[in-house]
Amino acid sequence: MTIKTGILLCVATTSSVAAFTMPPMAPRAPLWDTSELLSMAAFSPDDTNSDSTDSTDTMMTAKISDEMRMSKAIPFLKCPKTLQENADMAGNVGFDPLNFASSTGQLLEYREAEMKHSRLAMLAAVGWPASELWDKAFASQFGLEPMLDEFNRAPSLLNGGLERVSPIWWGFCLGLTAAIDMYGISKARRGDDNYRPGMLGFDPFNFYPADKKGQERVELAEIKHGRLAMLTVVSYSWQEWTTKMAVVDETPALFAPIF
């Protein structure tokens, strides 16, 4: 093969290859389509875990939301919106069937009143039977007239006998109660972010824990005992009024020494 013939063959081959190439001005299609890349990325391992985690979180949030929408106290009734917004309040079981607490501010005012009545009821639940057990002994010791009636019942609105209480004692009780109430109102209106209803700062024995979990436990125990005490005092009154018998005499086993 001569050099001339080789040159002609090279030129012919180059021309034939150029006939099958894309025009130089036409853009070349990308190797991977962007939409395909995004579709494939959606099924990558990392994103799958992320999506499943998000789905799980969403399902858990929806489940919690559904649980919060229903009252724990009355499962077939919906929990009022105000109680849902204050779900972390101690003793909040979603019980407000008449929707007394229409706002958070009103709910806090009701909780203040509930705490005051609870603490007073806890004192009364102990003081009521204690007075029926020891009133006559203390009265004879100091040469005073017993406050109990002929049925050995403590003075109350239903039992009567409140007129035998000294006006001086009534004045002292009302004055002390008013002072404590005014102090509590002043603390509630100071705008302290850490203030909770009933927090008067009275803890001489340091029973209130320093940790968050312990505080929640003590607050829940107090409101539960207070609610039970309020029911107890009402039952004392109703029981003694209907039976004409002191609670310590009707159920002596509960108030007699166990040894």
Side-chain angles (χ1 to χ4, degrees):
M1 180 182 295
T2 62
I3 297 176
K4 183 176 180 181
T5 304
I7 293 173
L8 291 175
L9 288 174
C10 289
V11 172
T13 303
T14 303
S15 300
S16 59
V17 171
F20 293 96
T21 58
M22 297 295 293
M25 296 301 294
R28 184 176 180 180
L31 183 64
W32 296 97
D33 188 12
T34 306
S35 59
E36 293 179 357
L37 289 174
L38 293 176
S39 301
M40 294 176 64
F43 292 95
S44 62
D46 293 340
D47 289 342
T48 302
N49 294 334
S50 177
D51 290 345
S52 61
T53 303
D54 293 341
S55 300
T56 304
D57 292 342
T58 302
M59 293 174 61
M60 292 178 63
T61 303
K63 182 178 180 181
I64 295 173
S65 179
D66 289 340
E67 292 178 352
M68 285 303 300
R69 280 199 292 267
M70 303 306 294
S71 172
K72 293 182 180 179
I74 311 177
F76 55 85
L77 292 181
K78 288 187 176 181
C79 179
K81 182 179 178 181
T82 303
L83 297 183
Q84 291 187 41
E85 295 173 350
N86 296 272
D88 59 341
M89 179 177 286
N92 181 5
V93 292
F95 182 78
D96 187 15
L98 300 180
N99 290 320
F100 285 136
S102 58
S103 64
T104 299
Q106 198 171 31
L107 177 63
L108 295 178
E109 291 181 0
Y110 284 138
R111 173 49 62 93
E112 284 279 0
E114 185 180 25
M115 294 300 300
K116 292 173 184 177
H117 286 79
S118 295
R119 290 166 178 173
L120 184 61
M122 285 188 282
L123 293 174
V126 176
W128 190 308
S131 67
E132 294 179 345
L133 288 172
W134 301 314
D135 177 69
K136 292 181 178 179
F138 278 105
S140 61
Q141 185 72 23
F142 294 96
L144 301 173
E145 183 181 356
M147 299 295 296
L148 304 181
D149 63 6
E150 65 272 18
F151 301 108
N152 201 34
R153 300 179 305 174
S156 69
L157 289 175
L158 297 179
N159 293 341
L162 293 176
E163 68 279 357
R164 296 196 298 269
V165 181
S166 172
I168 298 176
W169 176 250
W170 280 123
F172 171 76
C173 291
L174 292 176
L176 180 62
T177 303
I180 295 175
D181 195 32
M182 293 300 295
Y183 177 72
I185 292 174
S186 65
K187 281 186 68 68
R189 293 181 176 178
R190 289 176 187 173
D192 186 2
D193 294 336
N194 296 324
Y195 176 80
R196 286 189 289 275
M199 288 186 64
L200 300 178
F202 181 77
D203 186 20
F205 300 105
N206 293 321
F207 286 145
Y208 195 64
D211 60 292
K212 180 71 173 177
K213 187 176 181 179
Q215 292 175 359
E216 293 176 352
R217 176 180 54 82
V218 170
E219 291 174 5
L220 181 60
E222 183 181 26
I223 195 62
K224 284 185 175 181
H225 285 81
R227 289 169 177 172
L228 181 60
M230 288 188 282
L231 295 175
T232 301
V233 173
V234 173
S235 67
Y236 285 170
S237 302
W238 181 258
Q239 178 180 342
E240 292 195 351
W241 182 61
T242 55
T243 64
K244 305 299 180 183
M245 184 183 296
V247 291
V248 296
D249 295 333
E250 187 169 2
T251 54
L254 297 177
F255 303 99
I258 60 176
F259 51 85

